[in-house]
Amino acid sequence: MLNLATLNPQQRLAAETLRGPVLILAGAGTGKTRVITFRIAHMVERGIAPGNILGVTFTNKAAREMKERVNKLLPKTRNSTPETRNHDDRPTICTFHSLCVKILRHHIEKLGYKRNFVIYDESEQLGAIKKILSSISAKGEKTDPGAVLAMLSKFKNGGERAKIFGDPSVHALAEHVRKRYESALHACNAVDFDDLILLTLRIFKEHPDALEACRAKYRYVMVDEYQDTNAAQFELVHLLTKEHRNLCVVGDDDQSIYGWRGAEIANLLDLEKHYPEVKIVKLEQNYRSTTTILNAANAVIKNNAHRRAKSLWSSKGSGTKIALHAFESDEEEARTVVELIEYARMTQRAPWGTQAILFRTNIQSRPIETALRSAGVRYHLIGGQSFFDRREIKDFLAYLKTFINPHDDISLLRIANTPARGLSDVTMERLLGASHDRKCSVYSAMKNPLVTTTLQTRTRECVEAFVAFIERTRAELAGTNPAHIWAKHFLDETGYLNELRRSEKDKEAGESRVRNLIDLVATLDNYATANPTLAERLEKFLEDMTLDSDREEEKENAGDAVTLITMHSCKGLEFPHVYVVGLEDGLLPHTRSKVEGTMDEERRLFYVAVTRAMLTLTISHCATRKKYGQAMPCHPSPFLKELPPDLVEDADEKSKQPVAVASGKDMFAAMRAAIGE
């Protein structure tokens, strides 16, 4: 027997309202997943067939967690074995894409596909695009297949609106490629991720019998994270539920932070337009954070005009005030945050795994990762690549390794045609084959006339030019010039920085990659010993990078590690101790938001970051931040003024105050205990 008495009054009301449209407004940390799972189990207990219940989530992880929790609440089926069990004795809980695959497996033949269609992943999609581009591009013309694929995806999901954004020349090419791409996939009996929802909608519109069959099966529909649905997902849900009206959506408009990828907050805000009789249940009791943190979050989000009013509260007590730090530079910010993490570990017994650093953009991770590595603090980065795993960083390191040792085949093969210099995959495969036959390196094969004379004249000239470039640049390594000037020179000579800019679908992403690289180049001279040659400095730099990579692998397996995470990736997570860094105008709110009118979404992003904290919250901003190796002036975020002053403590002022005797004794006791461990 399901015990609904374990739910609070609002949670119980949400779980017991089974029929008709329901909107569960679930604030941060209010036990949303618990309510959804209890509601599904209650439906089954009240006689609704499990096979008629559909729960839709956005991620496989969320679907798995929900399925496991529902299965624990549902009664076990008697005399049931895997062979005899009916597929309808459990609710369907899956992602939007998984749901559409289920529907398409039954009905896709109506659109001329076979039921055993395959789903192309990104690498297979890029392969299809590359083939098409090679057949329609002029000789020597280079187009980035990734940019074309991204534009095709925007066309599929945004239609005509997609033309407002991006490079017009890429638009024209994408339109030209689109029909060929769709034909190529269809010929292979393949679909891509965008097709899954669009083809399902097409089936529903062109074949009413298929829609009726799905409506008859899914008579009770629940959608999690409803504020993140886009236009196509909304249409899918509406088509399934507009007749029987048994739709329960769960979400929080205050946590709608994915507008940039098509999520439409209006789907939640304007639900009454499509379901006027909707019943709204608010979950406002927060089980995660202290009253101080929640009051700060409530004060910030109230500045958004278009929202459904709600106010989070907690019975966990007021807790400590929010600590606010102002730093001179992003490097000082990184070092001090790491010191605070270690201080909390030593004096409060707060393991690394209980602490998280949140930032607006992945670029901000570089000084933080560097400071953590220097201090020997384990960490793992979620929601973005590690700075040292990014394509442009790996390419640059491969260049350095090739200059130090051109017989390093792995590094040479990575950069031989990056950027394009006439050394195609086919050419490099031939050279690799020749190196195997002669039991020598690829570079030796490139310098061997017996090998190069077998190549076509144009290709041979490209190989010779590449070898000359390597030799010329290697000769400079005996000098003692500043490493960052030398590196900038060879990057300019190769045209690599311009290639990075061209390789991204939007200008800002390209500039971000260039900035990552320039920031790393600026640190090359930090590895100087007593008057070393350029080669010795680079060897020391590469050695440190390699050792750091080895440590990184150890960290992955270590368990107890500080979490580094972007604000966009932290939704749904919680940490006892949170450090929100880079609260500066231009980062949060992002510069783009003022042009695009998305200030409300930026404020919601800050709200999400604040509500991740359970016990302590530390916020910081800098007077300068490195950009292209130069310290650029920064200004505090206007959102900081929205925090109630009585909830915030200036860390600089606090540091000047003497520590109470009792507090000092407690700290020393904790530190002694930590050292004893």
Side-chain angles (χ1 to χ4, degrees), residues 313-327:
W313 61 276
S314 167
S315 57
K316 294 185 79 172
S318 59
T320 59
K321 287 189 176 185
I322 296 166
L324 180 63
H325 290 261
F327 297 109

Side-chain angles (χ1 to χ4, degrees), residues 412-448:
L412 183 134
L413 289 169
R414 181 177 183 101
I415 55 96
N417 207 40
T418 306
R421 49 172 68 91
L423 302 177
S424 67
D425 290 347
V426 173
T427 300
M428 296 314 294
E429 280 171 20
R430 284 188 65 181
L431 290 166
L432 187 60
S435 75
H436 286 316
D437 294 341
R438 287 169 168 73
K439 296 183 173 54
C440 66
S441 69
V442 173
Y443 188 66
S444 296
M446 287 178 140
K447 294 176 72 175
N448 189 332

Side-chain angles (χ1 to χ4, degrees), residues 287-547:
Y287 293 92
R288 173 185 299 156
S289 309
T290 64
T291 302
T292 295
I293 291 166
L294 296 181
N295 287 347
N298 289 333
V300 167
I301 204 64
K302 277 176 184 168
N303 290 286
N304 276 1
H306 303 291
R307 62 183 288 263
R308 290 182 182 266
K310 70 188 83 67
S311 189
L312 298 181
W313 61 276
S314 167
S315 57
K316 294 185 79 172
S318 59
T320 59
K321 287 189 176 185
I322 296 166
L324 180 63
H325 290 261
F327 297 109
E328 278 303 310
S329 69
D330 51 347
E331 285 166 348
E332 185 192 341
E333 176 184 56
R335 281 194 306 273
T336 307
V337 166
V338 173
E339 287 168 8
L340 291 170
I341 285 169
E342 285 296 77
Y343 183 73
R345 185 169 72 95
M346 299 294 280
T347 64
Q348 298 171 38
R349 296 198 179 185
W352 287 327
T354 65
Q355 306 190 64
I357 305 172
L358 276 54
F359 38 81
R360 173 66 174 81
T361 67
N362 274 315
I363 299 167
Q364 292 167 260
S365 77
R366 186 194 65 79
I368 296 165
E369 287 189 69
T370 302
L372 287 162
R373 287 171 179 230
S374 297
V377 175
R378 285 193 296 270
Y379 71 90
H380 61 278
L381 187 127
I382 301 173
Q385 284 180 305
S386 166
F387 179 82
F388 301 96
D389 287 337
R390 291 176 184 144
R391 168 167 59 93
E392 62 274 20
I393 304 303
K394 286 193 164 187
D395 286 348
F396 178 67
L397 296 180
Y399 264 110
L400 297 189
K401 288 175 183 176
T402 302
F403 295 142
I404 295 289
N405 172 21
H407 303 292
D408 173 353
D409 283 353
I410 300 296
S411 297
L412 183 134
L413 289 169
R414 181 177 183 101
I415 55 96
N417 207 40
T418 306
R421 49 172 68 91
L423 302 177
S424 67
D425 290 347
V426 173
T427 300
M428 296 314 294
E429 280 171 20
R430 284 188 65 181
L431 290 166
L432 187 60
S435 75
H436 286 316
D437 294 341
R438 287 169 168 73
K439 296 183 173 54
C440 66
S441 69
V442 173
Y443 188 66
S444 296
M446 287 178 140
K447 294 176 72 175
N448 189 332
L450 295 175
V451 174
T452 55
T453 49
T454 66
L455 303 172
Q456 290 183 350
T457 305
R458 176 81 187 101
T459 304
R460 187 175 70 250
E461 288 170 353
C462 290
V463 170
E464 289 168 351
F466 178 66
V467 169
F469 161 67
I470 297 292
E471 296 288 311
R472 187 171 63 251
T473 312
R474 271 172 55 74
E476 297 167 3
L477 298 184
T480 56
N481 289 337
H484 71 280
I485 293 173
W486 167 83
K488 183 74 169 61
H489 177 261
F490 92 70
L491 287 170
D492 287 339
E493 184 184 349
T494 59
Y496 183 75
L497 297 179
N498 287 331
E499 174 70 12
L500 273 184
R501 291 184 177 100
R502 281 197 301 271
S503 72
E504 287 297 333
K505 57 183 178 289
D506 68 74
K507 188 178 177 184
E508 189 171 325
E511 288 300 332
S512 169
R513 287 195 182 277
V514 170
R515 191 158 65 245
N516 287 336
L517 196 45
I518 296 299
D519 284 348
L520 183 64
V521 166
T523 70
L524 284 176
D525 291 300
N526 297 351
Y527 295 82
T529 53
N531 194 30
T533 62
L534 193 48
E536 287 168 330
R537 252 173 294 166
L538 295 180
E539 283 169 1
K540 180 75 170 68
F541 171 76
L542 289 170
E543 182 185 301
D544 278 21
M545 290 297 104
T546 305
L547 290 174

